[in-house]
Amino acid sequence: GHRCMQRFTLTGSEPSATFTSADRSGQKVSFDASGSSAPGGVAEYVWEFNLAPYSFKRELSHETTVRTTSPNVSFRFKRRGAFLVGLTVFAADGTSRGTAQTILVE
């Protein structure tokens, strides 16, 4: 019988990730993650855009990843439809928090 005991302590509050989208016409969509936060400020925003129309078959093989230090990004989808968009917010200490939304591009 082996026994493993691990302890770790979080040094502060965790990051939070949230975003809104706007201007969904013409397949170019603007995203705003300025409501996100992290201890000491957000160091990086990592966006993942599913390029295939979203389906329950989880067709996530065609993704584009965009890394930025700005909370605002625009992305042009190649066609209309429902797409899965993910955001991961990183703090300077490396902790992260993610969220995802299905958006409709008209």
Side-chain angles (χ1 to χ4, degrees):
H2 294 282
R3 198 172 181 190
C4 179
M5 297 181 71
Q6 296 178 341
R7 293 183 187 183
F8 66 94
T9 304
L10 298 175
T11 59
S13 62
E14 297 178 6
S16 70
T18 185
F19 67 91
T20 59
S21 59
D23 190 22
R24 296 181 191 180
S25 60
Q27 293 151 267
K28 183 176 182 181
V29 182
S30 300
F31 296 93
D32 181 359
S34 60
S36 300
S37 63
V42 175
E44 184 177 37
Y45 300 85
V46 178
W47 298 89
E48 293 184 27
F49 300 98
N50 179 8
L51 301 182
Y54 181 74
S55 74
F56 290 104
K57 294 180 182 178
R58 308 272 308 162
E59 297 172 2
L60 301 177
S61 60
H62 298 95
E63 292 184 353
T64 294
T65 301
V66 176
R67 296 176 178 272
T68 181
T69 56
S70 168
N72 300 305
V73 69
S74 292
F75 187 81
R76 182 175 301 282
F77 293 89
K78 293 183 179 182
R79 58 190 164 281
R80 294 181 168 107
F83 297 89
L84 185 63
V85 176
L87 168 67
T88 304
V89 174
F90 287 88
D93 66 2
T95 58
S96 64
R97 176 69 60 140
T99 188
Q101 297 178 24
T102 300
I103 65 154
L104 180 62
V105 177
E106 301 172 359

